[in-house]
Short mmCIF file of all heavy atoms in Angstrom, two decimals:
data_model
loop_
_atom_site.label_atom_id
_atom_site.label_comp_id
_atom_site.label_asym_id
_atom_site.label_seq_id
_atom_site.Cartn_x
_atom_site.Cartn_y
_atom_site.Cartn_z
N ALA A 18 20.84 -24.05 -29.95
CA ALA A 18 20.11 -25.10 -30.65
C ALA A 18 19.50 -26.08 -29.65
O ALA A 18 18.34 -26.50 -29.79
CB ALA A 18 21.05 -25.83 -31.61
N ARG A 25 10.59 -27.24 -26.46
CA ARG A 25 9.48 -28.08 -26.91
C ARG A 25 9.15 -29.19 -25.91
O ARG A 25 8.20 -29.94 -26.08
CB ARG A 25 9.80 -28.68 -28.28
CG ARG A 25 9.89 -27.64 -29.39
CD ARG A 25 9.88 -28.28 -30.76
NE ARG A 25 11.12 -29.02 -31.03
CZ ARG A 25 12.19 -28.48 -31.60
NH1 ARG A 25 12.18 -27.20 -31.95
NH2 ARG A 25 13.28 -29.20 -31.82
N ALA A 44 20.88 -15.64 -2.08
CA ALA A 44 20.79 -14.39 -1.32
C ALA A 44 19.39 -13.81 -1.41
O ALA A 44 18.56 -14.23 -2.22
CB ALA A 44 21.81 -13.36 -1.85
N VAL A 100 12.07 -17.43 -10.07
CA VAL A 100 12.08 -16.46 -8.98
C VAL A 100 13.41 -15.70 -9.03
O VAL A 100 14.48 -16.31 -8.99
CB VAL A 100 11.93 -17.15 -7.60
CG1 VAL A 100 11.93 -16.11 -6.48
CG2 VAL A 100 10.67 -18.00 -7.55
N SER A 104 17.42 -10.11 -12.66
CA SER A 104 17.04 -10.75 -13.92
C SER A 104 17.95 -11.94 -14.15
O SER A 104 18.98 -12.09 -13.49
CB SER A 104 17.15 -9.76 -15.09
OG SER A 104 18.50 -9.38 -15.29
N PHE A 105 17.56 -12.79 -15.10
CA PHE A 105 18.40 -13.91 -15.50
C PHE A 105 19.25 -13.46 -16.69
O PHE A 105 18.74 -13.26 -17.78
CB PHE A 105 17.55 -15.11 -15.90
CG PHE A 105 16.80 -15.74 -14.76
CD1 PHE A 105 15.45 -15.45 -14.56
CD2 PHE A 105 17.43 -16.61 -13.90
CE1 PHE A 105 14.75 -16.03 -13.51
CE2 PHE A 105 16.74 -17.19 -12.84
CZ PHE A 105 15.40 -16.90 -12.64
N PRO A 125 12.83 1.58 -3.12
CA PRO A 125 13.47 2.62 -3.93
C PRO A 125 13.51 4.00 -3.28
O PRO A 125 12.47 4.62 -3.04
CB PRO A 125 12.62 2.64 -5.21
CG PRO A 125 11.26 2.20 -4.77
CD PRO A 125 11.50 1.21 -3.65
N GLN A 178 0.71 -9.17 -11.60
CA GLN A 178 -0.05 -8.99 -10.38
C GLN A 178 0.85 -8.46 -9.27
O GLN A 178 1.97 -8.93 -9.11
CB GLN A 178 -0.67 -10.32 -9.93
CG GLN A 178 -1.69 -10.89 -10.89
CD GLN A 178 -2.28 -12.19 -10.36
OE1 GLN A 178 -2.60 -12.32 -9.18
NE2 GLN A 178 -2.43 -13.17 -11.24
N TYR A 190 14.56 -10.92 10.90
CA TYR A 190 14.65 -9.86 11.90
C TYR A 190 13.60 -10.03 13.00
O TYR A 190 13.73 -9.47 14.09
CB TYR A 190 14.50 -8.49 11.24
CG TYR A 190 15.58 -8.19 10.23
CD1 TYR A 190 15.28 -7.54 9.05
CD2 TYR A 190 16.89 -8.56 10.43
CE1 TYR A 190 16.26 -7.26 8.10
CE2 TYR A 190 17.87 -8.30 9.51
CZ TYR A 190 17.54 -7.65 8.34
OH TYR A 190 18.52 -7.39 7.41
N ALA A 195 17.94 -14.23 20.78
CA ALA A 195 19.13 -13.61 21.39
C ALA A 195 20.34 -14.53 21.24
O ALA A 195 21.47 -14.06 21.04
CB ALA A 195 18.86 -13.32 22.86
N HIS A 220 26.39 2.34 -3.92
CA HIS A 220 27.05 2.66 -5.20
C HIS A 220 26.71 4.07 -5.65
O HIS A 220 25.59 4.54 -5.46
CB HIS A 220 26.59 1.64 -6.25
CG HIS A 220 26.98 1.98 -7.64
ND1 HIS A 220 28.28 1.98 -8.09
CD2 HIS A 220 26.22 2.33 -8.72
CE1 HIS A 220 28.30 2.31 -9.36
NE2 HIS A 220 27.08 2.53 -9.77
N SER A 262 46.02 1.81 6.10
CA SER A 262 47.34 1.21 6.30
C SER A 262 47.67 0.96 7.76
O SER A 262 48.64 0.28 8.07
CB SER A 262 48.42 2.13 5.71
OG SER A 262 48.34 3.42 6.29
N GLU A 278 21.85 -9.98 6.13
CA GLU A 278 20.90 -10.01 7.24
C GLU A 278 21.59 -10.35 8.56
O GLU A 278 21.23 -9.82 9.61
CB GLU A 278 19.78 -11.02 6.95
CG GLU A 278 18.88 -10.66 5.77
CD GLU A 278 19.46 -11.09 4.44
OE1 GLU A 278 20.49 -11.81 4.44
OE2 GLU A 278 18.89 -10.73 3.40
N ALA A 284 24.69 -5.94 14.34
CA ALA A 284 24.99 -4.52 14.55
C ALA A 284 24.04 -3.86 15.54
O ALA A 284 22.83 -4.11 15.53
CB ALA A 284 24.94 -3.78 13.22
N ASP A 290 24.07 5.72 3.81
CA ASP A 290 23.79 6.95 3.08
C ASP A 290 22.47 6.79 2.33
O ASP A 290 21.43 7.16 2.84
CB ASP A 290 24.95 7.28 2.13
CG ASP A 290 25.56 6.05 1.46
OD1 ASP A 290 24.80 5.09 1.19
OD2 ASP A 290 26.77 6.05 1.21
N SER A 293 19.39 0.95 0.28
CA SER A 293 18.05 0.47 0.64
C SER A 293 18.08 -0.39 1.89
O SER A 293 17.02 -0.73 2.44
CB SER A 293 17.45 -0.33 -0.52
OG SER A 293 18.18 -1.52 -0.75
N PHE A 296 15.93 0.64 4.93
CA PHE A 296 14.51 0.28 5.02
C PHE A 296 14.34 -1.08 5.68
O PHE A 296 13.37 -1.31 6.40
CB PHE A 296 13.89 0.28 3.62
CG PHE A 296 13.98 1.60 2.91
CD1 PHE A 296 15.02 1.85 2.02
CD2 PHE A 296 13.04 2.59 3.13
CE1 PHE A 296 15.12 3.06 1.36
CE2 PHE A 296 13.13 3.82 2.47
CZ PHE A 296 14.17 4.05 1.60
N TYR A 298 16.70 -2.53 7.75
CA TYR A 298 17.23 -2.44 9.11
C TYR A 298 16.20 -1.83 10.06
O TYR A 298 16.20 -2.14 11.26
CB TYR A 298 18.51 -1.62 9.11
CG TYR A 298 19.32 -1.73 10.39
CD1 TYR A 298 20.16 -2.81 10.61
CD2 TYR A 298 19.24 -0.75 11.38
CE1 TYR A 298 20.90 -2.92 11.78
CE2 TYR A 298 19.97 -0.86 12.55
CZ TYR A 298 20.80 -1.94 12.75
OH TYR A 298 21.52 -2.04 13.91
N ALA A 299 15.33 -1.00 9.52
CA ALA A 299 14.29 -0.38 10.36
C ALA A 299 13.40 -1.42 11.02
O ALA A 299 12.81 -1.16 12.07
CB ALA A 299 13.46 0.59 9.52
N ALA A 309 25.57 11.56 4.86
CA ALA A 309 25.41 11.86 3.43
C ALA A 309 26.08 13.18 3.04
O ALA A 309 25.41 14.19 2.79
CB ALA A 309 23.92 11.92 3.08
N PRO A 310 27.41 13.19 2.95
CA PRO A 310 28.12 14.43 2.58
C PRO A 310 27.84 14.89 1.15
O PRO A 310 27.98 16.07 0.86
CB PRO A 310 29.60 14.04 2.74
CG PRO A 310 29.61 12.84 3.61
CD PRO A 310 28.35 12.11 3.29
N ARG A 329 11.88 15.17 8.28
CA ARG A 329 10.43 14.97 8.38
C ARG A 329 10.13 13.53 8.80
O ARG A 329 10.72 12.59 8.26
CB ARG A 329 9.74 15.28 7.06
CG ARG A 329 9.72 16.75 6.68
CD ARG A 329 8.79 16.98 5.50
NE ARG A 329 9.27 16.28 4.31
CZ ARG A 329 10.06 16.82 3.39
NH1 ARG A 329 10.47 18.08 3.53
NH2 ARG A 329 10.44 16.12 2.35
N ALA A 336 19.20 10.20 13.13
CA ALA A 336 20.14 11.33 13.09
C ALA A 336 20.76 11.45 11.70
O ALA A 336 20.98 10.45 11.01
CB ALA A 336 21.23 11.15 14.13
N GLU A 343 30.59 15.84 12.50
CA GLU A 343 29.19 15.69 12.93
C GLU A 343 28.88 14.24 13.27
O GLU A 343 28.17 13.96 14.24
CB GLU A 343 28.25 16.18 11.82
CG GLU A 343 28.24 17.68 11.61
CD GLU A 343 27.36 18.08 10.44
OE1 GLU A 343 26.87 17.19 9.70
OE2 GLU A 343 27.16 19.30 10.25
N ALA A 364 8.39 6.48 12.87
CA ALA A 364 7.61 6.95 11.73
C ALA A 364 8.12 6.33 10.43
O ALA A 364 7.33 5.96 9.54
CB ALA A 364 7.66 8.47 11.64
N PRO A 371 5.35 -1.88 6.77
CA PRO A 371 4.03 -2.26 7.26
C PRO A 371 3.67 -3.72 7.05
O PRO A 371 2.82 -4.25 7.76
CB PRO A 371 3.09 -1.35 6.47
CG PRO A 371 3.80 -1.13 5.17
CD PRO A 371 5.26 -1.03 5.57
N ALA A 387 0.74 -22.14 -4.70
CA ALA A 387 -0.64 -22.55 -4.42
C ALA A 387 -0.70 -23.54 -3.26
O ALA A 387 -1.37 -24.58 -3.34
CB ALA A 387 -1.30 -23.13 -5.67
#
Side-chain angles (χ1 to χ4, degrees):
R25 294 193 290 270
V100 181
S104 65
F105 292 100
Q178 296 181 42
Y190 299 141
H220 169 68
S262 57
E278 294 85 8
D290 39 33
S293 66
F296 301 95
Y298 194 81
R329 289 191 297 267
E343 289 176 352

